[in-house]
Amino acid sequence: MTEIPEHLLKRSRERRSALGQGDGEAAGAAPAASTPATTTPAAPAAATPSGPPTRAAAPTPAGPPPPKPDSFVVSRYKDRKKVPFWAMGALGLLPIWMFMYVRSVTASAQEATGPLGMGAEVYSNCASCHGGNGGGGVGYQFSEGEVLKTFPHIEDQLRYVLYGTGAYNVAGVEIYGNPDREGGPHLAGARGAMPGFAGSLTDYEILAVVCHERYALGGADGAGDYAEEFETWCSPESEIFVELEGGAMLSTIHEAHDGVLTIGDGPAAGSAAD
Ligand code: HEC
């Protein structure tokens, strides 16, 4: 054992008494235990008085003003998920897809507005007297082939709807449809007064509603017996319908179409089936 020099023991005693510790501990352990005890509390104590004033004072006047925080919207914008580059191609095709989609929708809508599509709407002018399904009322029945019996040829029906009962009576034309109709021909005025629609509907509307009466209500088969008539007058590809829409007249439409009977600009006797 080496002897502890007196001046060291004295220092140790002074420290202990300064910290309020008793003298009962072993002299050898005292320096080891007291050394950390003195330094540990001293460190924060030294930092506390000097630290805060300098830290508090320094940044406030000297530092540049902190940048304004982004508004909620801007910060959300900056944080947004960016479109991955591989999706750009798909996004670029979007306008083309939109175009094709709109085209497909309007194209089918246009098909529905061919003579038959339009005729279903125009028929609202007729339903009150002929029934919503053509079953008849004040005016004749169209359904179950009745209208086809009266008019084997569409031209005679078009003429009758254009000019109406009054004009036929004035012109002295009795038989407006098939003179050989089973049970006897229909005579102008026999059932009542059918208004002429030449003034209130356009020629293409009259064709459209007559197509509706024959094919949608009357049961004409556009793929069978009436295939040729359907093709010429009532199909979505009907050239005559397009020409009427462009300003051609039913009264003279036969001039540009072989095999079409003359409708003319006034009442005329109806024709028998071929
Ligand atoms: C105000 C009632 C009334 C309205 C509306 C009316 N009709 Fe008539 N329709 C009649 C009457 C009545 C007759 C029979 C006329 C006669 O005896 O001369 C008739 C006859 C007909 C005939 C002849 C049928 C056959 O077998 O002899 C056709 C075709 C016809 N109408 C089409 C139409 C069309 C198309 C419309 C609409 C655009 C229409 N009618 C609107 C009353 C009407």
Side-chain angles (χ1 to χ4, degrees):
M1 291 287 266
T2 48
E3 235 186 69
I4 300 164
E6 180 55 31
H7 71 276
L8 285 180
L9 283 173
K10 194 183 166 208
R11 235 166 66 182
S12 171
R13 268 198 301 275
E14 279 167 7
R15 280 189 193 154
R16 265 190 228 179
S17 65
L19 291 164
Q21 285 180 337
D23 282 325
E25 289 167 75
S34 68
T35 315
T38 46
T39 51
T40 312
T48 316
S50 63
T54 48
R55 268 176 60 198
T60 318
K68 253 176 139 189
D70 289 332
S71 77
F72 175 74
V73 176
V74 173
S75 67
R76 288 301 292 262
Y77 173 75
K78 285 181 176 169
D79 291 347
R80 79 197 187 281
K81 290 213 171 66
K82 314 282 193 301
V83 178
F85 77 94
W86 53 261
M88 286 305 194
L91 281 178
L93 291 175
L94 210 60
I96 298 171
W97 176 82
M98 287 283 289
F99 176 76
M100 286 168 66
Y101 174 76
V102 170
R103 274 289 304 240
S104 72
V105 170
T106 50
S108 58
Q110 225 165 41
E111 254 165 55
T113 58
L116 284 174
M118 181 185 290
E121 289 171 30
V122 179
Y123 189 71
S124 61
N125 293 285
C126 325
S128 57
C129 294
H130 291 281
N133 294 320
V138 174
Y140 289 108
Q141 175 183 2
F142 299 135
S143 57
E144 293 167 353
E146 285 298 307
V147 71
L148 305 173
K149 291 177 190 165
T150 307
F151 302 105
H153 299 285
I154 190 173
E155 294 91 333
D156 292 328
Q157 185 179 350
L158 289 163
R159 188 189 306 115
Y160 186 65
V161 174
L162 273 168
Y163 306 122
T165 302
Y168 276 75
N169 285 339
V170 168
V173 178
E174 272 199 311
I175 302 174
Y176 56 81
N178 182 7
D180 302 331
R181 196 189 201 280
E182 56 180 75
H186 284 177
L187 303 181
R191 174 126 178 184
M194 162 70 190
F197 285 90
S200 52
L201 296 177
T202 64
D203 280 18
Y204 61 84
E205 285 171 330
I206 287 173
L207 172 58
V209 76
V210 164
C211 288
H212 180 73
E213 287 174 353
R214 295 173 74 80
Y215 290 89
L217 305 179
D221 180 3
D225 289 348
Y226 290 86
E228 204 182 315
E229 176 192 295
F230 183 75
E231 187 67 28
T232 306
W233 298 90
C234 299
S235 79
E237 290 82 32
S238 163
E239 286 176 23
I240 288 182
F241 182 69
V242 173
E243 289 168 21
L244 294 177
E245 280 186 313
M249 307 290 291
L250 280 171
S251 58
T252 55
I253 200 75
H254 65 280
E255 290 170 5
H257 294 271
D258 290 343
V260 167
L261 303 181
T262 303
I263 293 171
D265 56 8
S271 49
D274 301 318

